[in-house]
Amino acid sequence: MHEKMKNKVVCFLAAAIFAAGFLLCLFLPKEKYSYTERRVLAPMPEFSGKAVWSGRFMSGFESYAVDAFPFRDAFRRVQALTAAGVFLRKDNHGVYFTGEGNVSEAPAGSGTENTGDGYLLKGYLSTVEYPMNEASLAHALQRFRHICETYLTEENKVYLCVIPDKNCFLARESGHPAMDYEEFERQMAEQADFAEMISVSDLLEKEDYYRTDTHWRQERITDVAGRLAASMGTRISETWEIQDVPADFYGVYYGQAALPVKPDTLRYLTNEALKGYKVYDWQNGKDIPVYDMERAQGRDPYEMFLSGSLSLLTIENPMAEETRELVVFRDSFGSAIAPLLASGYSRVTLVDIRYIQPDRLGDFVDFSGCDVLFLYSTLVLNHSETLK
């Protein structure tokens, strides 16, 4: 009798839990966007006989139920901590943590910091970028060569710079697979017969990147900007004032990893010349600030740098020492370094061919006598199908 009663209690509790989960999922307010994962959540699929018969409704409902589950972020964190600390998984959906201490020690280990929000892991998040995709490198170089052959002449000085992603400095020490970054850069330089290679890898280390995000820290790359400028025959400002954004910065890896990692602090550089820059966004036809403080409080705070990955914009520097122009073909890493490079030019044009067809550039950009810099991270070059 006692065993029978116990079974009834277990069945009742299980039914109550499922019923509570169903009711919460049904009646709690539904978010349309996940700020932690930086993506739009799956909507409730439209109910119809045709959708049910074809199976589309159940497929869509399954995605909706996962995204609309109550306290989803809390369960994701429990899953991530369990996977890493109990089952010793090296990554969570391709994102891994490395730092002082182990995830298995959270919430009370030597790799955590006790704050008002509990224990936060002190370390770095990154993704596994492996192996090197030689076909992707060839495609990127083909697109760059097409631009050179279409628009440039012998008057143009052309340069190429490869920015190593954070995995370059974290993977081996944490036991994750890593590309041969020296070979990556060597192949790019060898095949880029149209450009002079500028290497900056030796100037970078893991501390130059945000711990929870993909990108590099602007306040730590003045030496990189200086080398680029010197290699292109110009000089940039050496005097900068560091400013902090008064809010914690949770980068893109933070939401993907679902681990309690200590947030970053966004910092930006300014001086009197930079305050006089005039930036025009050709994609949206309007003037924009160098640093957009509204975006610094938005979904992706890194977009504060030149308003994110816009297809085409120009930076005018009225205080430039000489009339000289630069065209930079870039990805999102270029948003942070472009304001520094602009201190050495009267005009800098930024082009992102992930969002604009190169064959349309002649309508907007005058390449006459310009320096041209192809500045791309290994993350884009190793997945260059995004380049038009």
Side-chain angles (χ1 to χ4, degrees), residues 25 28-35 39-44 64 67-69 72-73 299:
C25 185
L28 280 179
K30 306 296 185 299
E31 300 291 338
K32 295 182 179 180
Y33 185 85
S34 171
Y35 285 90
R39 68 178 182 87
V40 176
L41 297 175
M44 178 69 176
Y64 166 75
D67 281 0
F69 196 82
R72 183 170 177 274
D73 284 341
R299 294 179 177 180

Side-chain angles (χ1 to χ4, degrees), residues 3 17 22 27 36 59 62 77 87 107 117 132 148 161 163 211 225 247 297 300 307 319 323 337-338 367:
E3 185 69 22
I17 291 172
F22 172 77
F27 293 109
T36 56
S59 177
E62 182 178 353
R77 175 157 295 182
F87 296 106
D117 298 322
M132 180 171 67
C148 292
C161 180
I163 306 167
R211 289 178 294 99
Q297 309 293 333
D300 184 357
S307 298
M319 296 180 64
T323 301
I337 201 169
F367 290 92

Side-chain angles (χ1 to χ4, degrees), residues 46-108:
E46 183 179 352
F47 182 84
S48 68
K50 185 177 180 180
V52 172
W53 181 257
S54 67
R56 291 197 309 273
F57 176 80
M58 289 308 299
S59 177
F61 183 80
E62 182 178 353
S63 299
Y64 166 75
V66 171
D67 281 0
F69 196 82
F71 314 114
R72 183 170 177 274
D73 284 341
F75 281 110
R76 288 181 64 244
R77 175 157 295 182
V78 170
Q79 182 272 331
L81 288 170
T82 302
V86 178
F87 296 106
L88 304 180
R89 285 182 53 178
K90 298 288 286 184
D91 64 82
N92 186 31
H93 304 296
V95 181
Y96 65 86
F97 170 83
T98 180
E100 306 170 23
N102 301 306
V103 176
S104 59
E105 296 175 332

Side-chain angles (χ1 to χ4, degrees), residues 33-285:
Y33 185 85
S34 171
Y35 285 90
T36 56
E37 297 174 86
R38 306 271 182 88
R39 68 178 182 87
V40 176
L41 297 175
M44 178 69 176
E46 183 179 352
F47 182 84
S48 68
K50 185 177 180 180
V52 172
W53 181 257
S54 67
R56 291 197 309 273
F57 176 80
M58 289 308 299
S59 177
F61 183 80
E62 182 178 353
S63 299
Y64 166 75
V66 171
D67 281 0
F69 196 82
F71 314 114
R72 183 170 177 274
D73 284 341
F75 281 110
R76 288 181 64 244
R77 175 157 295 182
V78 170
Q79 182 272 331
L81 288 170
T82 302
V86 178
F87 296 106
L88 304 180
R89 285 182 53 178
K90 298 288 286 184
D91 64 82
N92 186 31
H93 304 296
V95 181
Y96 65 86
F97 170 83
T98 180
E100 306 170 23
N102 301 306
V103 176
S104 59
E105 296 175 332
S110 60
T112 61
E113 177 176 331
N114 192 0
T115 71
D117 298 322
Y119 286 87
L120 301 179
L121 294 162
K122 294 188 295 183
Y124 288 80
L125 293 169
S126 187
T127 55
V128 176
E129 185 60 31
Y130 181 85
M132 180 171 67
N133 186 345
E134 295 186 8
S136 179
L137 270 61
H139 174 72
L141 288 163
Q142 185 273 328
R143 299 314 300 152
F144 301 161
R145 183 175 286 105
H146 171 70
I147 291 170
C148 292
E149 293 174 350
T150 304
Y151 298 109
L152 307 185
T153 68
E154 293 182 355
E155 294 181 354
N156 300 107
K157 295 180 179 179
V158 185
Y159 306 90
L160 171 65
C161 180
V162 175
I163 306 167
D165 63 90
K166 187 166 55 173
N167 197 54
C168 174
F169 308 99
L170 297 174
R172 289 192 177 92
E173 69 179 49
S174 61
H176 291 84
M179 298 186 297
D180 186 336
Y181 285 87
E182 290 184 3
E183 177 64 14
F184 191 109
E185 191 168 319
R186 187 195 67 78
Q187 288 200 24
M188 290 294 293
E190 186 177 84
Q191 299 178 53
D193 53 356
F194 52 85
E196 176 185 334
M197 189 73 173
I198 305 175
S199 179
V200 297
S201 301
D202 60 304
L203 299 177
L204 294 167
E205 54 190 352
K206 66 182 181 181
E207 289 79 11
D208 297 327
Y209 297 77
Y210 291 107
R211 289 178 294 99
T212 64
D213 197 61
T214 312
H215 299 99
W216 52 13
R217 307 179 67 96
Q218 188 191 49
E219 74 276 11
R220 292 187 59 97
I221 58 171
T222 53
D223 55 347
V224 174
R227 177 174 291 181
L228 288 172
S231 298
M232 294 186 293
T234 189
R235 291 189 309 155
I236 63 170
S237 175
E238 298 179 357
T239 305
W240 301 98
E241 179 185 347
I242 301 177
Q243 299 285 340
D244 287 3
V245 173
D248 289 336
F249 172 39
Y250 295 92
V252 65
Y253 292 148
Y254 180 87
Q256 293 175 358
L259 292 171
V261 178
K262 185 180 178 181
D264 287 290
T265 298
L266 267 176
R267 294 188 171 96
Y268 61 96
L269 300 177
T270 188
N271 58 23
E272 287 305 311
L274 187 146
K275 292 175 183 178
Y277 288 178
K278 298 178 181 178
V279 186
Y280 189 76
D281 169 13
W282 292 89
Q283 177 177 312
N284 299 296

